[in-house]
Amino acid sequence: QTHEVVRRVREMRQQLQAGTGTPGDSARRRALGDTLWMVEEVLAQFRARAGQDLSNYPTSVDSKLATLLDFAGQADARPTAQDYSLFRTLSAVVDRQRAAIDHLRIAVGDRGASP
């Protein structure tokens, strides 16, 4: 679900970049694009490159979910209460970002289905 929201953000940003209109529309598209970048950065760290210090670019929700899955899968027992709690917390972040995208979708002019 996290990656579906990121995919939708990227599609919406492409639609904004392809748009035409008045100079006022350009400022509006730029503001919407900035908001889309912020949503994507919450969900996926796209700035960090191999070898860079992640303290400059902290991990995002997708990385945290992958790490949680990895650790929970290594145990010989069922996931702990803390695992479930962290999963619920991270899932809530994804849900909030999805809601933000659904709200912005109309402003961008995206007619695609919500992820």
Side-chain angles (χ1 to χ4, degrees), residues 29-54:
R29 284 194 315 269
R30 187 173 30 258
L32 288 169
D34 290 346
T35 301
L36 291 170
W37 279 111
M38 288 187 287
V39 168
E40 183 175 353
E41 193 165 29
V42 168
L43 298 175
Q45 182 49 261
F46 56 87
R47 298 176 194 264
R49 300 288 179 243
Q52 284 188 333
D53 182 5
L54 283 177

PDB file of all heavy atoms in Angstrom, residues 29-54:
ATOM      1  N   ARG A  29       0.347  24.981  -9.494  1.00  0.00           N
ATOM      2  CA  ARG A  29       0.931  23.667  -9.780  1.00  0.00           C
ATOM      3  C   ARG A  29       2.220  23.468  -8.999  1.00  0.00           C
ATOM      4  O   ARG A  29       2.489  22.378  -8.501  1.00  0.00           O
ATOM      5  CB  ARG A  29       1.178  23.504 -11.285  1.00  0.00           C
ATOM      6  CG  ARG A  29      -0.083  23.229 -12.078  1.00  0.00           C
ATOM      7  CD  ARG A  29       0.208  22.733 -13.486  1.00  0.00           C
ATOM      8  NE  ARG A  29       1.241  23.481 -14.178  1.00  0.00           N
ATOM      9  CZ  ARG A  29       1.031  24.534 -14.956  1.00  0.00           C
ATOM     10  NH1 ARG A  29      -0.203  24.971 -15.142  1.00  0.00           N
ATOM     11  NH2 ARG A  29       2.027  25.135 -15.551  1.00  0.00           N
ATOM     12  N   ARG A  30       3.026  24.522  -8.885  1.00  0.00           N
ATOM     13  CA  ARG A  30       4.276  24.419  -8.136  1.00  0.00           C
ATOM     14  C   ARG A  30       3.988  24.131  -6.655  1.00  0.00           C
ATOM     15  O   ARG A  30       4.624  23.285  -6.037  1.00  0.00           O
ATOM     16  CB  ARG A  30       5.113  25.684  -8.291  1.00  0.00           C
ATOM     17  CG  ARG A  30       6.484  25.575  -7.680  1.00  0.00           C
ATOM     18  CD  ARG A  30       7.418  26.759  -7.958  1.00  0.00           C
ATOM     19  NE  ARG A  30       6.799  28.057  -8.132  1.00  0.00           N
ATOM     20  CZ  ARG A  30       6.592  28.650  -9.320  1.00  0.00           C
ATOM     21  NH1 ARG A  30       6.944  28.041 -10.430  1.00  0.00           N
ATOM     22  NH2 ARG A  30       6.029  29.846  -9.381  1.00  0.00           N
ATOM     23  N   ALA A  31       2.991  24.802  -6.093  1.00  0.00           N
ATOM     24  CA  ALA A  31       2.629  24.567  -4.686  1.00  0.00           C
ATOM     25  C   ALA A  31       2.116  23.149  -4.487  1.00  0.00           C
ATOM     26  O   ALA A  31       2.467  22.478  -3.510  1.00  0.00           O
ATOM     27  CB  ALA A  31       1.586  25.588  -4.234  1.00  0.00           C
ATOM     28  N   LEU A  32       1.286  22.674  -5.406  1.00  0.00           N
ATOM     29  CA  LEU A  32       0.792  21.294  -5.316  1.00  0.00           C
ATOM     30  C   LEU A  32       1.943  20.301  -5.451  1.00  0.00           C
ATOM     31  O   LEU A  32       2.003  19.298  -4.739  1.00  0.00           O
ATOM     32  CB  LEU A  32      -0.261  21.030  -6.392  1.00  0.00           C
ATOM     33  CG  LEU A  32      -1.619  21.690  -6.186  1.00  0.00           C
ATOM     34  CD1 LEU A  32      -2.461  21.575  -7.450  1.00  0.00           C
ATOM     35  CD2 LEU A  32      -2.331  21.091  -4.995  1.00  0.00           C
ATOM     36  N   GLY A  33       2.857  20.582  -6.372  1.00  0.00           N
ATOM     37  CA  GLY A  33       4.020  19.712  -6.548  1.00  0.00           C
ATOM     38  C   GLY A  33       4.873  19.640  -5.292  1.00  0.00           C
ATOM     39  O   GLY A  33       5.348  18.572  -4.912  1.00  0.00           O
ATOM     40  N   ASP A  34       5.063  20.783  -4.633  1.00  0.00           N
ATOM     41  CA  ASP A  34       5.829  20.791  -3.379  1.00  0.00           C
ATOM     42  C   ASP A  34       5.158  19.922  -2.323  1.00  0.00           C
ATOM     43  O   ASP A  34       5.818  19.192  -1.586  1.00  0.00           O
ATOM     44  CB  ASP A  34       5.980  22.220  -2.854  1.00  0.00           C
ATOM     45  CG  ASP A  34       6.918  23.071  -3.715  1.00  0.00           C
ATOM     46  OD1 ASP A  34       7.651  22.511  -4.556  1.00  0.00           O
ATOM     47  OD2 ASP A  34       6.887  24.310  -3.538  1.00  0.00           O
ATOM     48  N   THR A  35       3.836  20.000  -2.263  1.00  0.00           N
ATOM     49  CA  THR A  35       3.102  19.167  -1.308  1.00  0.00           C
ATOM     50  C   THR A  35       3.272  17.689  -1.648  1.00  0.00           C
ATOM     51  O   THR A  35       3.474  16.861  -0.760  1.00  0.00           O
ATOM     52  CB  THR A  35       1.609  19.546  -1.305  1.00  0.00           C
ATOM     53  OG1 THR A  35       1.500  20.931  -0.956  1.00  0.00           O
ATOM     54  CG2 THR A  35       0.832  18.700  -0.309  1.00  0.00           C
ATOM     55  N   LEU A  36       3.230  17.354  -2.920  1.00  0.00           N
ATOM     56  CA  LEU A  36       3.415  15.959  -3.328  1.00  0.00           C
ATOM     57  C   LEU A  36       4.807  15.456  -2.964  1.00  0.00           C
ATOM     58  O   LEU A  36       4.967  14.310  -2.538  1.00  0.00           O
ATOM     59  CB  LEU A  36       3.155  15.807  -4.824  1.00  0.00           C
ATOM     60  CG  LEU A  36       1.699  15.983  -5.263  1.00  0.00           C
ATOM     61  CD1 LEU A  36       1.603  16.059  -6.776  1.00  0.00           C
ATOM     62  CD2 LEU A  36       0.828  14.878  -4.704  1.00  0.00           C
ATOM     63  N   TRP A  37       5.827  16.307  -3.119  1.00  0.00           N
ATOM     64  CA  TRP A  37       7.184  15.900  -2.716  1.00  0.00           C
ATOM     65  C   TRP A  37       7.225  15.594  -1.219  1.00  0.00           C
ATOM     66  O   TRP A  37       7.860  14.627  -0.790  1.00  0.00           O
ATOM     67  CB  TRP A  37       8.206  16.998  -3.042  1.00  0.00           C
ATOM     68  CG  TRP A  37       8.649  17.023  -4.463  1.00  0.00           C
ATOM     69  CD1 TRP A  37       8.365  17.992  -5.392  1.00  0.00           C
ATOM     70  CD2 TRP A  37       9.434  16.037  -5.149  1.00  0.00           C
ATOM     71  NE1 TRP A  37       8.931  17.659  -6.594  1.00  0.00           N
ATOM     72  CE2 TRP A  37       9.597  16.477  -6.479  1.00  0.00           C
ATOM     73  CE3 TRP A  37      10.015  14.842  -4.766  1.00  0.00           C
ATOM     74  CZ2 TRP A  37      10.319  15.755  -7.422  1.00  0.00           C
ATOM     75  CZ3 TRP A  37      10.737  14.130  -5.716  1.00  0.00           C
ATOM     76  CH2 TRP A  37      10.884  14.580  -7.014  1.00  0.00           C
ATOM     77  N   MET A  38       6.543  16.411  -0.415  1.00  0.00           N
ATOM     78  CA  MET A  38       6.546  16.185   1.034  1.00  0.00           C
ATOM     79  C   MET A  38       5.856  14.869   1.384  1.00  0.00           C
ATOM     80  O   MET A  38       6.329  14.129   2.251  1.00  0.00           O
ATOM     81  CB  MET A  38       5.881  17.352   1.760  1.00  0.00           C
ATOM     82  CG  MET A  38       6.729  18.609   1.757  1.00  0.00           C
ATOM     83  SD  MET A  38       6.067  19.935   2.774  1.00  0.00           S
ATOM     84  CE  MET A  38       4.690  20.478   1.778  1.00  0.00           C
ATOM     85  N   VAL A  39       4.747  14.575   0.721  1.00  0.00           N
ATOM     86  CA  VAL A  39       4.047  13.312   0.967  1.00  0.00           C
ATOM     87  C   VAL A  39       4.956  12.142   0.615  1.00  0.00           C
ATOM     88  O   VAL A  39       5.083  11.184   1.386  1.00  0.00           O
ATOM     89  CB  VAL A  39       2.725  13.247   0.178  1.00  0.00           C
ATOM     90  CG1 VAL A  39       2.142  11.846   0.204  1.00  0.00           C
ATOM     91  CG2 VAL A  39       1.725  14.254   0.724  1.00  0.00           C
ATOM     92  N   GLU A  40       5.607  12.223  -0.530  1.00  0.00           N
ATOM     93  CA  GLU A  40       6.477  11.126  -0.943  1.00  0.00           C
ATOM     94  C   GLU A  40       7.633  10.943   0.035  1.00  0.00           C
ATOM     95  O   GLU A  40       8.002   9.813   0.362  1.00  0.00           O
ATOM     96  CB  GLU A  40       7.030  11.366  -2.344  1.00  0.00           C
ATOM     97  CG  GLU A  40       7.882  10.210  -2.825  1.00  0.00           C
ATOM     98  CD  GLU A  40       8.352  10.345  -4.250  1.00  0.00           C
ATOM     99  OE1 GLU A  40       7.934  11.274  -4.970  1.00  0.00           O
ATOM    100  OE2 GLU A  40       9.166   9.489  -4.667  1.00  0.00           O
ATOM    101  N   GLU A  41       8.192  12.032   0.525  1.00  0.00           N
ATOM    102  CA  GLU A  41       9.338  11.915   1.431  1.00  0.00           C
ATOM    103  C   GLU A  41       8.963  11.267   2.763  1.00  0.00           C
ATOM    104  O   GLU A  41       9.782  10.585   3.374  1.00  0.00           O
ATOM    105  CB  GLU A  41       9.967  13.284   1.672  1.00  0.00           C
ATOM    106  CG  GLU A  41      11.311  13.197   2.331  1.00  0.00           C
ATOM    107  CD  GLU A  41      12.082  14.495   2.248  1.00  0.00           C
ATOM    108  OE1 GLU A  41      11.468  15.571   2.207  1.00  0.00           O
ATOM    109  OE2 GLU A  41      13.310  14.411   2.226  1.00  0.00           O
ATOM    110  N   VAL A  42       7.738  11.434   3.198  1.00  0.00           N
ATOM    111  CA  VAL A  42       7.281  10.746   4.409  1.00  0.00           C
ATOM    112  C   VAL A  42       7.269   9.240   4.182  1.00  0.00           C
ATOM    113  O   VAL A  42       7.644   8.458   5.056  1.00  0.00           O
ATOM    114  CB  VAL A  42       5.872  11.234   4.822  1.00  0.00           C
ATOM    115  CG1 VAL A  42       5.268  10.337   5.896  1.00  0.00           C
ATOM    116  CG2 VAL A  42       5.930  12.679   5.314  1.00  0.00           C
ATOM    117  N   LEU A  43       6.879   8.836   2.989  1.00  0.00           N
ATOM    118  CA  LEU A  43       6.686   7.418   2.697  1.00  0.00           C
ATOM    119  C   LEU A  43       7.933   6.713   2.180  1.00  0.00           C
ATOM    120  O   LEU A  43       8.125   5.527   2.466  1.00  0.00           O
ATOM    121  CB  LEU A  43       5.554   7.253   1.683  1.00  0.00           C
ATOM    122  CG  LEU A  43       4.189   7.746   2.159  1.00  0.00           C
ATOM    123  CD1 LEU A  43       3.182   7.656   1.030  1.00  0.00           C
ATOM    124  CD2 LEU A  43       3.729   6.981   3.380  1.00  0.00           C
ATOM    125  N   ALA A  44       8.760   7.401   1.411  1.00  0.00           N
ATOM    126  CA  ALA A  44       9.920   6.749   0.797  1.00  0.00           C
ATOM    127  C   ALA A  44      11.086   7.725   0.746  1.00  0.00           C
ATOM    128  O   ALA A  44      10.930   8.843   0.250  1.00  0.00           O
ATOM    129  CB  ALA A  44       9.581   6.276  -0.608  1.00  0.00           C
ATOM    130  N   GLN A  45      12.225   7.293   1.229  1.00  0.00           N
ATOM    131  CA  GLN A  45      13.415   8.144   1.211  1.00  0.00           C
ATOM    132  C   GLN A  45      14.055   8.075  -0.168  1.00  0.00           C
ATOM    133  O   GLN A  45      14.658   7.075  -0.529  1.00  0.00           O
ATOM    134  CB  GLN A  45      14.415   7.701   2.279  1.00  0.00           C
ATOM    135  CG  GLN A  45      15.654   8.548   2.357  1.00  0.00           C
ATOM    136  CD  GLN A  45      15.374  10.027   2.396  1.00  0.00           C
ATOM    137  OE1 GLN A  45      15.452  10.696   1.390  1.00  0.00           O
ATOM    138  NE2 GLN A  45      15.031  10.527   3.565  1.00  0.00           N
ATOM    139  N   PHE A  46      13.905   9.127  -0.939  1.00  0.00           N
ATOM    140  CA  PHE A  46      14.428   9.137  -2.299  1.00  0.00           C
ATOM    141  C   PHE A  46      15.699   9.957  -2.424  1.00  0.00           C
ATOM    142  O   PHE A  46      16.350   9.958  -3.455  1.00  0.00           O
ATOM    143  CB  PHE A  46      13.377   9.666  -3.279  1.00  0.00           C
ATOM    144  CG  PHE A  46      12.849  11.033  -2.922  1.00  0.00           C
ATOM    145  CD1 PHE A  46      13.500  12.167  -3.355  1.00  0.00           C
ATOM    146  CD2 PHE A  46      11.713  11.153  -2.142  1.00  0.00           C
ATOM    147  CE1 PHE A  46      13.018  13.420  -3.023  1.00  0.00           C
ATOM    148  CE2 PHE A  46      11.221  12.395  -1.804  1.00  0.00           C
ATOM    149  CZ  PHE A  46      11.870  13.542  -2.239  1.00  0.00           C
ATOM    150  N   ARG A  47      16.103  10.648  -1.379  1.00  0.00           N
ATOM    151  CA  ARG A  47      17.292  11.495  -1.447  1.00  0.00           C
ATOM    152  C   ARG A  47      18.581  10.743  -1.103  1.00  0.00           C
ATOM    153  O   ARG A  47      19.634  11.069  -1.612  1.00  0.00           O
ATOM    154  CB  ARG A  47      17.153  12.678  -0.507  1.00  0.00           C
ATOM    155  CG  ARG A  47      16.008  13.580  -0.859  1.00  0.00           C
ATOM    156  CD  ARG A  47      15.873  14.685   0.171  1.00  0.00           C
ATOM    157  NE  ARG A  47      14.622  15.358   0.067  1.00  0.00           N
ATOM    158  CZ  ARG A  47      14.432  16.481  -0.605  1.00  0.00           C
ATOM    159  NH1 ARG A  47      15.433  17.043  -1.245  1.00  0.00           N
ATOM    160  NH2 ARG A  47      13.250  17.037  -0.649  1.00  0.00           N
ATOM    161  N   ALA A  48      18.511   9.776  -0.217  1.00  0.00           N
ATOM    162  CA  ALA A  48      19.705   9.070   0.231  1.00  0.00           C
ATOM    163  C   ALA A  48      20.253   8.197  -0.896  1.00  0.00           C
ATOM    164  O   ALA A  48      19.508   7.586  -1.648  1.00  0.00           O
ATOM    165  CB  ALA A  48      19.400   8.216   1.452  1.00  0.00           C
ATOM    166  N   ARG A  49      21.555   8.155  -0.991  1.00  0.00           N
ATOM    167  CA  ARG A  49      22.231   7.312  -1.966  1.00  0.00           C
ATOM    168  C   ARG A  49      23.171   6.383  -1.208  1.00  0.00           C
ATOM    169  O   ARG A  49      23.564   6.647  -0.083  1.00  0.00           O
ATOM    170  CB  ARG A  49      23.038   8.154  -2.963  1.00  0.00           C
ATOM    171  CG  ARG A  49      22.198   9.135  -3.744  1.00  0.00           C
ATOM    172  CD  ARG A  49      21.337   8.386  -4.764  1.00  0.00           C
ATOM    173  NE  ARG A  49      20.513   9.317  -5.508  1.00  0.00           N
ATOM    174  CZ  ARG A  49      19.188   9.323  -5.484  1.00  0.00           C
ATOM    175  NH1 ARG A  49      18.533   8.469  -4.771  1.00  0.00           N
ATOM    176  NH2 ARG A  49      18.507  10.179  -6.188  1.00  0.00           N
ATOM    177  N   ALA A  50      23.529   5.299  -1.824  1.00  0.00           N
ATOM    178  CA  ALA A  50      24.435   4.335  -1.194  1.00  0.00           C
ATOM    179  C   ALA A  50      25.670   5.066  -0.686  1.00  0.00           C
ATOM    180  O   ALA A  50      26.245   5.889  -1.383  1.00  0.00           O
ATOM    181  CB  ALA A  50      24.824   3.249  -2.182  1.00  0.00           C
ATOM    182  N   GLY A  51      26.060   4.772   0.524  1.00  0.00           N
ATOM    183  CA  GLY A  51      27.249   5.358   1.103  1.00  0.00           C
ATOM    184  C   GLY A  51      27.004   6.678   1.809  1.00  0.00           C
ATOM    185  O   GLY A  51      27.897   7.185   2.478  1.00  0.00           O
ATOM    186  N   GLN A  52      25.827   7.252   1.643  1.00  0.00           N
ATOM    187  CA  GLN A  52      25.554   8.498   2.337  1.00  0.00           C
ATOM    188  C   GLN A  52      25.095   8.226   3.753  1.00  0.00           C
ATOM    189  O   GLN A  52      24.506   7.195   4.055  1.00  0.00           O
ATOM    190  CB  GLN A  52      24.483   9.309   1.618  1.00  0.00           C
ATOM    191  CG  GLN A  52      24.990  10.005   0.390  1.00  0.00           C
ATOM    192  CD  GLN A  52      23.940  10.942  -0.180  1.00  0.00           C
ATOM    193  OE1 GLN A  52      22.747  10.719   0.014  1.00  0.00           O
ATOM    194  NE2 GLN A  52      24.385  11.973  -0.864  1.00  0.00           N
ATOM    195  N   ASP A  53      25.349   9.175   4.608  1.00  0.00           N
ATOM    196  CA  ASP A  53      24.945   9.085   5.997  1.00  0.00           C
ATOM    197  C   ASP A  53      23.441   9.302   6.113  1.00  0.00           C
ATOM    198  O   ASP A  53      22.936  10.359   5.759  1.00  0.00           O
ATOM    199  CB  ASP A  53      25.706  10.143   6.783  1.00  0.00           C
ATOM    200  CG  ASP A  53      25.411  10.111   8.256  1.00  0.00           C
ATOM    201  OD1 ASP A  53      24.684   9.215   8.715  1.00  0.00           O
ATOM    202  OD2 ASP A  53      25.922  10.984   8.964  1.00  0.00           O
ATOM    203  N   LEU A  54      22.715   8.304   6.607  1.00  0.00           N
ATOM    204  CA  LEU A  54      21.258   8.417   6.721  1.00  0.00           C
ATOM    205  C   LEU A  54      20.817   9.393   7.806  1.00  0.00           C
ATOM    206  O   LEU A  54      19.635   9.671   7.928  1.00  0.00           O
ATOM    207  CB  LEU A  54      20.625   7.047   6.937  1.00  0.00           C
ATOM    208  CG  LEU A  54      20.535   6.191   5.683  1.00  0.00           C
ATOM    209  CD1 LEU A  54      19.959   4.818   6.006  1.00  0.00           C
ATOM    210  CD2 LEU A  54      19.711   6.859   4.612  1.00  0.00           C
TER     211      LEU A  54
END
